[in-house]
Amino acid sequence: MDRVSSTMKQVSNPLPKVLSRRGGGGGLEAERESFERAQTVSINKAINAQEVAVKEKHARTCILGTHHEKGAQTFWSVVNRLPLSGNAVLCWKFCHVFHKLLRDGHSNVLKDSVRYKNELSDMSRMWGHLNEGYGQLCSIYLKLLRTKMEFHTKNPRFPGNLQMSDRQLDEAGENDVNNFFQLTVEMFDYLECELNLFQTVFSSLDMSRSVSVTAAGQCRLAPLIQVILDCSHLYDYTVKLLFKLHSCLPADTLQGHRDRFLEQFRKLKDLFYRSSNLQYFKRLIQIPQLPENPPNFLRASALSEHISPVVVIPAEASSPDSEPITDLVEMDAASQSLFDNKFDDIFGSSFSCDPFNFNSQNGMSKDDKDRLIEQLYGEITALKEELENFKAESARGTVQLRGRASELEAELAEQQHLKQQAQDESEFLRAELEELKKQREDTEKAQRSLTEIERRAQANEQRYSKLKEKYSELVQNHADLLRKNAEVTKQITGARQAQGDVEREKKELEDSFQRVSEQAQRKSQEQAEVLETLKRELATSRQELQVLQGTLESSTQAGAEQSTRIASLEQERDRLSQAAEQHRDEMAALRAELQQLRDTLSHEQESSRTELEMLQTQLRDKESTEQALQQLLAKEQLSLVQGTIHEAKRMVQDAVARMEDPAHISCTGSADCLLSQTLAASECAERLRDAHSKYLLDGTAMNSLLPCLAPFAHLVSNTLLQGSATSHVAPVEPADRLLELCKQCGCEAVSYLSALQDPETVASADCSLVTACLSQISAIGEELRPRGLDIKQEELGDLVDKEMAATATAIETASARIEEMLSKARAGDTGVELEVNERILGSCTGLMQAIHVLVLASKDLQREIVESGRGAASPKEFYAKNSRWTEGLISASKAVGWGATVMVDAADLVVQGKGTFEELMVCSREIAASTAQLVAASKVKADKDSANLCKLQQASRGVNQATASVVASTKAGKSQVEEKDSMDFSNMTLTQIKRQEMDSQVRVLELENQLQKERQKLGELRKKHYELAGVAEGWEEDDSENS
């Protein structure tokens, strides 16, 4: 679905790439290609950008295609190429078609569509940002489709159209009450999404016009048919599951289910009723009507009274393309002209042209006044059209601006992402730069090693030069030896001339020696093997000389010595030649290695220079981009701050306006709440002042200023409204001063925010005036604050003991009075009156005794609390430290004593026949409530394992039982007295009985009216009592401190 969200251009009737021509395939491929082409055409006709309802035949073709394909691959392959994120109408019609496929398509449609669930959620969130047109509709519809897919994935037993029998419903829950409970919750969520879409569609339509017969209205109403079908089944299954749950679980456990069902029942009933009155649905679907009252799940037999709602789709509605309503929706210019002609034929052309021209119809001429009226009507019509056009253009402009704002927000998020990527790349480039620096250091080390190698090579060259000189010296010595050898040869020749016999051998020796000499001179520059041959020839010559001439032994010996020396010199020459050759090879290898190192170093330096330049260029580009992004971010932050300040001004101005609103006059407030609001507003103003100072020092420090603006406006507005409400219950003079200060504070706050909003006056903005106004408001609040008990905290301990003692005394006095009244009743009454009075006074005596026991237990528990909690402090210090608890205890004790006195007075009046039984019952209940207050005040600080606490609880239960006994005896006495005064109608005539009946009815109505008024009065009295008690006890102050 990323391709769906990224595509912004609508493709007119696109064919997916999967439908490209295939090379000569078989019949199955041709059939598949034909099927895909037909499906593509139907899907594109069903899902288009025209604001008309989806035609049933195209949707039916898509549904049949899923059954033929046994899935929805082709559907999604086509939908993925539609610009659903760029056209709201296109997305709305896609949801409608997809809803039909989930309901009536093949069962594998759900499996093929689950993979796109996250994309549908993203698209729902995207359309949720558009508050006008189809934006919210698409968002809610996509959320409904996601909920439907999740429901059917969790509950695969439910088909897409939700049609199941009761047996299948039981099997879906596996006869497990936990499964039924969870299934009911999921159905509630499912039905809630359906109802949200229902309500959103109706709220988007203008019901004052016949929207159901317009193309735009039908486009929005068409998907509701699928919603009605789903809602009918979900309502039926929910009712059945709730009856099943109530048969297995307690009613209290299912209270939340019943409340949620009741809310959805009312919504669904109202939506079904509104839908049934629309012209569009009357011929397409028969909508059921829900019962007048919801089912009573607390009565199991009510299940038999439940009737499952059945939605009926008429046969002619299966092809709405042929219905006249579609012709009405798709009326073109020709049909409109035909309609105008028919109108002219019926009413006349003059009436059609000018329906308000009564003078022409009567044959009368127009006067100036009529022409002026006609002209004014024309101008009004033109102005209305211009106003409508202006509204339409404004709406389009608003939508475009909001879209642009969304695009800018997305672009800002993308730029921030790019900025983060640029920062990551900068870090990566810095890391690479560090690696290049390390490589450069390694290269420098290699250069130093190369310099060392060159130095060694120069040393080797010097050594080679020395060896070469030595070799030259050896060659020179060898030449000298050859010259000496020539002289010896001359001497030998002279000796041979003296001996003629050996002349020939001597010549051969000279020739061979000459050859040897020439070879030695030639081979002196070559290798050692030439010298070896010379040695052998010299040795041969020596042998011949030894054999041929003994006289030449000395010469031969000298020649042998010379030959030995020459051999040694030749060996030295060979050794030096080999060493020189080795050095030459080493030099060549070193030169090659040096050249290779130089080439590598130059190449690395060049590549490093290139990469460094490229990295520097990228770094400069990233820095420029980052600078531009920072500037854009600063502008966005500035606009955000100004927008927030504007909203804050509007909030304060709205609060000032509400102070003058007559509807606000009935609102009242307490001084303690006003003080808490004023304190919070003053603290927020101080924080805003600090943030403003930081912003003036650093223009980019908007993060400190922005969070303080909204709380400042909110708290100041609450302070103004609370001050106005407090002034309604305050005396006249303080109320006027408080109201004026609230208005002045609002004006100063608006002025301060206006100064902050203007860049030219932001430096001179001052919040001190607002703070001063808040301080003055706080001072007036202190004056209006109730003082509570005018008792010092040191006297609280004595007061507690006094009140408890006074309560005990009041109870004893009440008991004595009851005994006295009982004695008088026994002496003066007889019969039924004596029996009633004895029973009532006896129950009152029992109640007084129970209250006496409770007061004693409360005193014991109080003593234990003081002893365990005071530590080294005295009881008075403990009471002063816990003044709130002490004041509550005092109040409860007073209430008990007062209640006992009032109940005794009421009993006395009943016994004397002057009072009523109801007054006695009310007094007994009131004293029971007072004792409960005393118990609660005593239990606040008591240990839960305390024995005295157990005694107090038992005494409280005794008081409750005694109260019930008083009420019961009073009711019994009342019934006995009423039986005594039974009415006798035996002697009355029909007219008299009718007259008495009418009088009774009048009396009943009067009493009912009086009862309603008394109940309202009782409610107001209780409310006022609660407020006064809260002010006296400091509840509001405690709430403000806790908040």
Side-chain angles (χ1 to χ4, degrees):
M1 191 62 67
D2 292 338
R3 293 171 293 180
V4 176
S5 60
S6 63
T7 305
M8 297 302 293
K9 295 182 179 179
Q10 181 179 0
V11 182
S12 60
N13 196 9
L15 291 178
K17 294 182 180 179
V18 297
L19 300 181
S20 59
R21 289 191 182 275
R22 302 175 173 86
L28 292 177
E29 292 181 354
E31 182 182 358
R32 176 66 181 176
E33 183 177 357
S34 176
F35 165 77
E36 289 179 348
R37 183 179 294 107
Q39 284 292 303
T40 301
V41 172
S42 298
I43 292 171
N44 280 281
K45 287 184 178 180
I47 305 174
N48 54 50
Q50 297 178 0
E51 194 174 2
V52 295
V54 176
K55 292 188 178 181
E56 186 66 21
K57 61 181 180 181
H58 301 319
R60 189 186 302 112
T61 303
C62 298
I63 294 171
L64 294 176
T66 60
H67 288 281
H68 179 270
E69 191 183 25
K70 293 182 174 57
Q73 295 88 350
T74 303
F75 174 78
W76 282 109
S77 66
V78 177
V79 167
N80 283 339
R81 288 163 176 82
L82 296 177
L84 302 181
S85 299
N87 193 313
V89 177
L90 200 69
C91 182
W92 175 255
K93 299 178 78 169
F94 155 74
C95 295
H96 185 192
V97 176
F98 184 43
H99 197 175
K100 280 180 170 288
L101 293 184
L102 289 177
R103 279 188 53 82
D104 303 325
H106 195 269
S107 57
N108 291 333
V109 171
L110 178 63
K111 298 179 181 177
D112 295 337
S113 304
V114 169
R115 72 187 69 175
Y116 301 101
K117 185 169 62 175
N118 294 330
E119 286 77 4
L120 294 178
S121 300
D122 296 339
M123 196 184 305
S124 174
R125 286 193 295 272
M126 187 272 293
W127 282 117
H129 296 295
L130 186 61
N131 295 326
E132 297 180 0
Y134 284 84
Q136 288 296 325
L137 296 178
C138 293
S139 176
I140 295 175
Y141 207 168
L142 290 169
K143 190 180 299 182
L144 167 61
L145 295 177
R146 176 184 173 89
T147 304
K148 183 177 180 65
M149 288 192 291
E150 291 176 350
F151 177 82
H152 289 289
T153 303
K154 291 180 182 178
N155 305 282
R157 295 177 182 268
F158 284 82
N161 55 8
L162 296 174
Q163 293 182 359
M164 295 180 66
S165 62
D166 293 343
R167 182 180 59 81
Q168 291 174 337
L169 184 62
D170 293 336
E171 291 176 356
E174 299 176 354
N175 292 326
D176 188 357
V177 66
N178 296 321
N179 293 340
F180 285 129
F181 190 95
Q182 182 62 29
L183 183 60
T184 306
V185 173
E186 293 174 0
M187 284 190 175
F188 280 146
D189 296 338
Y190 191 1
L191 185 58
E192 187 72 23
C193 293
E194 301 274 4
L195 295 176
N196 286 339
L197 179 61
F198 224 133
Q199 291 179 332
T200 306
V201 171
F202 274 105
S203 62
S204 67
L205 296 174
D206 186 6
M207 290 303 177
S208 63
R209 299 182 298 175
S210 300
V211 292
S212 63
V213 297
T214 62
Q218 290 179 5
C219 183
R220 300 191 184 197
L221 292 174
L224 296 185
I225 296 177
Q226 311 300 318
V227 176
I228 292 171
L229 293 171
D230 288 343
C231 289
S232 62
H233 293 296
L234 290 175
Y235 167 78
D236 183 29
Y237 300 153
T238 305
V239 172
K240 294 177 180 178
L241 290 176
L242 284 176
F243 274 110
K244 189 178 295 293
L245 289 175
H246 278 79
S247 64
C248 302
L249 297 176
D252 295 338
T253 305
L254 300 172
Q255 181 64 41
H257 280 53
R258 290 197 300 274
D259 295 341
R260 194 172 182 185
F261 172 82
L262 184 62
E263 180 182 0
Q264 293 185 354
F265 173 83
R266 285 195 288 262
K267 291 181 181 179
L268 187 60
K269 181 180 178 182
D270 178 65
L271 294 173
F272 274 7
Y273 176 77
R274 295 172 64 184
S275 301
S276 61
N277 293 329
L278 292 179
Q279 184 67 28
Y280 178 69
F281 291 117
K282 288 185 178 179
R283 298 188 61 187
L284 294 179
I285 187 172
Q286 183 178 346
I287 303 174
Q289 295 299 324
L290 299 183
E292 186 66 24
N293 297 316
N296 186 7
F297 300 107
L298 301 179
R299 184 167 57 89
S301 59
L303 179 60
S304 60
E305 301 173 3
H306 170 66
I307 301 176
S308 299
V310 178
V311 180
V312 179
I313 299 178
E316 63 271 11
S318 60
S319 60
D321 298 336
S322 60
E323 293 181 358
I325 189 168
T326 306
D327 297 335
L328 183 59
V329 172
E330 299 176 355
M331 182 181 295
D332 55 4
S335 59
Q336 183 65 32
S337 177
L338 180 60
F339 176 81
D340 295 339
N341 293 334
K342 291 180 179 180
F343 184 87
D344 294 343
D345 295 338
I346 296 172
F347 297 101
S349 59
S350 62
F351 185 80
S352 174
C353 296
D354 191 2
F356 298 99
N357 191 356
F358 300 104
N359 294 331
S360 295
Q361 295 174 11
N362 298 329
M364 298 175 63
S365 61
K366 297 182 178 179
D367 56 4
D368 296 338
K369 184 176 181 180
D370 293 335
R371 285 194 296 272
L372 180 59
I373 291 173
E374 183 180 2
Q375 182 180 359
L376 290 176
Y377 273 127
E379 292 179 358
I380 290 172
T381 305
L383 289 175
K384 285 183 178 179
E385 293 177 355
E386 184 178 357
L387 181 60
E388 292 295 332
N389 295 332
F390 179 76
K391 288 182 179 179
E393 290 177 359
S394 300
R396 288 195 297 271
T398 303
V399 173
Q400 292 176 359
L401 289 176
R402 289 181 178 174
R404 180 58 179 167
S406 302
E407 292 175 359
L408 288 176
E409 290 177 355
E411 185 177 355
L412 179 59
E414 183 178 1
Q415 292 296 335
Q416 290 176 351
H417 179 66
L418 292 176
K419 177 184 176 182
Q420 185 64 31
Q421 289 183 349
Q423 291 178 353
D424 296 339
E425 290 178 0
S426 298
E427 293 295 332
F428 177 74
L429 292 176
R430 288 192 183 96
E432 287 187 349
L433 186 59
E434 293 295 330
E435 291 180 0
L436 289 176
K437 288 181 179 178
K438 292 180 180 179
Q439 291 180 1
R440 183 177 180 182
E441 293 176 358
D442 296 337
T443 305
E444 291 176 355
K445 291 180 181 179
Q447 288 180 351
R448 288 195 294 271
S449 62
L450 181 60
T451 304
E452 182 67 21
I453 291 172
E454 289 179 350
R455 188 181 60 78
R456 290 173 57 189
Q458 291 178 358
N460 290 330
E461 287 180 354
Q462 293 176 0
R463 185 178 178 186
Y464 175 77
S465 299
K466 293 179 180 178
L467 290 174
K468 187 176 181 180
E469 291 175 356
K470 190 174 182 180
Y471 177 76
S472 300
E473 184 179 357
L474 291 174
V475 171
Q476 185 65 32
N477 291 333
H478 183 261
D480 295 338
L481 289 175
L482 288 176
R483 284 192 297 270
K484 291 179 180 180
N485 191 14
E487 293 177 354
V488 172
T489 302
K490 289 180 180 178
Q491 291 177 3
I492 291 172
T493 302
R496 285 182 178 179
Q497 287 178 356
Q499 296 177 359
D501 298 331
V502 292
E503 187 67 24
R504 184 176 53 83
E505 292 83 2
K506 184 178 178 180
K507 291 182 179 179
E508 292 177 355
L509 181 61
E510 288 178 353
D511 295 333
S512 60
F513 185 77
Q514 185 66 29
R515 289 195 299 272
V516 170
S517 298
E518 292 176 356
Q519 289 177 357
Q521 290 178 358
R522 232 177 15 254
K523 297 299 181 180
S524 62
Q525 298 178 355
E526 298 176 354
Q527 304 296 329
E529 56 184 10
V530 178
L531 294 177
E532 293 292 332
T533 303
L534 182 61
K535 290 177 182 179
R536 288 194 299 270
E537 289 178 356
L538 287 174
T540 303
S541 299
R542 289 169 185 170
Q543 291 176 0
E544 290 178 352
L545 287 175
Q546 288 176 0
V547 174
L548 294 175
Q549 189 177 5
T551 58
L552 298 176
E553 291 180 357
S554 58
S555 300
T556 306
Q557 291 176 357
E561 292 176 356
Q562 293 293 330
S563 299
T564 303
R565 188 176 179 182
I566 290 172
S568 63
L569 291 175
E570 290 292 335
Q571 291 176 357
E572 182 68 19
R573 189 193 67 180
D574 293 338
R575 187 178 63 78
L576 292 175
S577 299
Q578 291 177 359
E581 188 67 25
Q582 289 178 358
H583 284 295
R584 191 179 296 109
D585 295 339
E586 290 179 358
M587 285 296 297
L590 289 174
R591 284 194 182 94
E593 184 177 359
L594 178 61
Q595 186 64 30
Q596 185 178 4
L597 288 174
R598 286 177 177 174
D599 296 340
T600 305
L601 180 61
S602 63
H603 179 68
E604 290 180 354
Q605 288 178 349
E606 185 67 25
S607 61
S608 300
R609 189 181 300 108
T610 305
E611 291 179 359
L612 182 60
E613 292 177 355
M614 182 175 64
L615 292 175
Q616 289 177 352
T617 303
Q618 292 180 357
L619 184 60
R620 286 194 296 271
D621 295 340
K622 297 298 181 182
E623 290 177 353
S624 62
T625 304
E626 183 177 359
Q627 185 177 4
L629 289 175
Q630 288 178 354
Q631 293 176 356
L632 181 60
L633 181 61
K635 292 181 180 178
E636 292 293 336
Q637 288 180 348
L638 181 59
S639 62
L640 181 60
V641 168
Q642 291 182 349
T644 305
I645 293 174
H646 178 71
E647 290 297 326
K649 286 172 54 182
R650 188 188 60 78
M651 189 182 301
V652 176
Q653 291 171 352
D654 182 61
V656 174
R658 286 178 61 186
M659 291 172 59
E660 303 294 338
D661 190 359
H664 187 66
I665 296 176
S666 61
C667 298
T668 60
S670 64
D672 292 331
C673 185
L674 175 61
L675 289 175
S676 63
Q677 289 291 337
T678 306
L679 179 60
S682 300
E683 293 176 353
C684 186
E686 292 297 332
R687 292 196 299 271
L688 180 59
R689 179 185 296 173
D690 297 338
H692 182 207
S693 302
K694 293 180 182 178
Y695 175 71
L696 293 179
L697 295 176
D698 184 7
T700 60
M702 297 183 183
N703 294 329
S704 60
L705 180 62
L706 191 59
C708 298
L709 292 172
F712 172 76
H714 177 70
L715 292 173
V716 169
S717 301
N718 287 349
T719 302
L720 299 180
L721 294 176
Q722 187 63 34
S724 177
T726 306
S727 67
H728 295 158
V729 296
V732 177
E733 183 179 355
D736 293 339
R737 288 193 291 117
L738 180 59
L739 198 59
E740 287 298 327
L741 283 175
C742 290
K743 293 180 180 179
Q744 183 181 356
C745 182
C747 296
E748 295 297 339
V750 172
S751 301
Y752 175 64
L753 293 174
S754 300
L756 285 180
Q757 188 177 10
D758 190 359
E760 297 179 356
T761 61
V762 66
S764 61
D766 188 9
C767 190
S768 59
L769 297 178
V770 180
T771 307
C773 292
L774 291 174
S775 300
Q776 295 176 5
I777 293 173
S778 179
I780 296 177
E782 287 291 345
E783 295 177 3
L784 297 176
R785 186 177 181 183
R787 301 306 176 185
L789 295 175
D790 297 330
I791 301 171
K792 297 181 180 179
Q793 291 187 349
E794 295 80 2
E795 301 176 359
L796 286 176
D798 297 335
L799 186 61
V800 171
D801 296 335
K802 291 179 181 179
E803 289 297 334
M804 294 298 290
T807 302
T809 303
I811 293 171
E812 292 176 358
T813 304
S815 300
R817 286 187 60 188
I818 292 173
E819 291 292 339
E820 182 180 355
M821 286 187 288
L822 184 58
S823 300
K824 291 181 179 180
R826 289 173 180 172
D829 297 333
T830 58
V832 177
E833 293 181 357
L834 177 61
E835 181 181 357
V836 171
N837 292 337
E838 284 183 347
R839 186 184 299 113
I840 293 175
L841 293 176
S843 61
C844 291
T845 303
L847 178 59
M848 290 297 109
Q849 293 175 357
I851 294 173
H852 182 69
V853 173
L854 183 137
V855 170
L856 294 178
S858 176
K859 292 174 66 176
D860 294 337
L861 179 60
Q862 174 190 346
R863 190 179 302 109
E864 179 183 347
I865 292 171
V866 173
E867 292 296 331
S868 62
R870 66 186 180 88
S874 63
K876 292 184 179 180
E877 293 177 353
F878 177 80
Y879 285 126
K881 181 180 179 181
N882 301 274
S883 59
R884 291 294 185 190
W885 174 73
T886 305
E887 291 174 1
L889 197 62
I890 292 170
S891 177
S893 300
K894 286 184 177 180
V896 172
W898 175 81
T901 304
V902 172
M903 191 188 74
V904 171
D905 294 337
D908 190 8
L909 294 175
V910 170
V911 171
Q912 296 177 7
K914 298 179 181 179
T916 60
F917 294 98
E918 288 80 3
E919 184 178 359
L920 184 59
M921 287 188 288
V922 170
C923 291
S924 61
R925 290 184 180 133
E926 184 66 26
I927 196 170
S930 300
T931 55
Q933 180 184 357
L934 180 61
V935 172
S938 302
K939 286 172 61 179
V940 169
K941 293 186 175 294
D943 187 4
K944 62 180 180 179
D945 297 328
S946 174
N948 290 324
L949 178 60
C950 295
K951 292 180 180 179
L952 181 63
Q953 292 175 346
Q954 292 177 359
S956 176
R957 286 192 288 271
V959 170
N960 292 334
Q961 293 175 0
T963 302
S965 177
V966 171
V967 174
S969 61
T970 305
K971 289 182 178 180
K974 181 180 179 182
S975 61
Q976 288 182 355
V977 172
E978 289 177 350
E979 289 177 358
K980 179 181 177 181
D981 298 333
S982 60
M983 292 178 289
D984 185 11
F985 303 113
S986 58
N987 297 326
M988 296 179 68
T989 63
L990 177 61
T991 304
Q992 292 175 344
I993 291 176
K994 186 64 176 179
R995 180 65 180 176
Q996 291 291 332
E997 181 181 356
M998 293 176 62
D999 293 341
S1000 298
Q1001 290 179 356
V1002 172
R1003 181 60 177 166
V1004 166
L1005 292 176
E1006 291 177 351
L1007 291 176
E1008 287 179 351
N1009 188 16
Q1010 186 177 359
L1011 176 62
Q1012 184 178 1
K1013 292 181 179 179
E1014 289 296 329
R1015 283 177 175 171
Q1016 293 178 354
K1017 182 178 179 181
L1018 178 61
E1020 294 295 331
L1021 289 172
R1022 287 179 176 175
K1023 185 186 300 183
K1024 191 63 178 179
H1025 177 266
Y1026 182 80
E1027 292 177 357
L1028 294 176
V1031 171
E1033 298 296 333
W1035 296 343
E1036 294 181 355
E1037 181 179 354
D1038 294 342
D1039 293 340
S1040 62
E1041 292 176 358
N1042 294 332
S1043 61

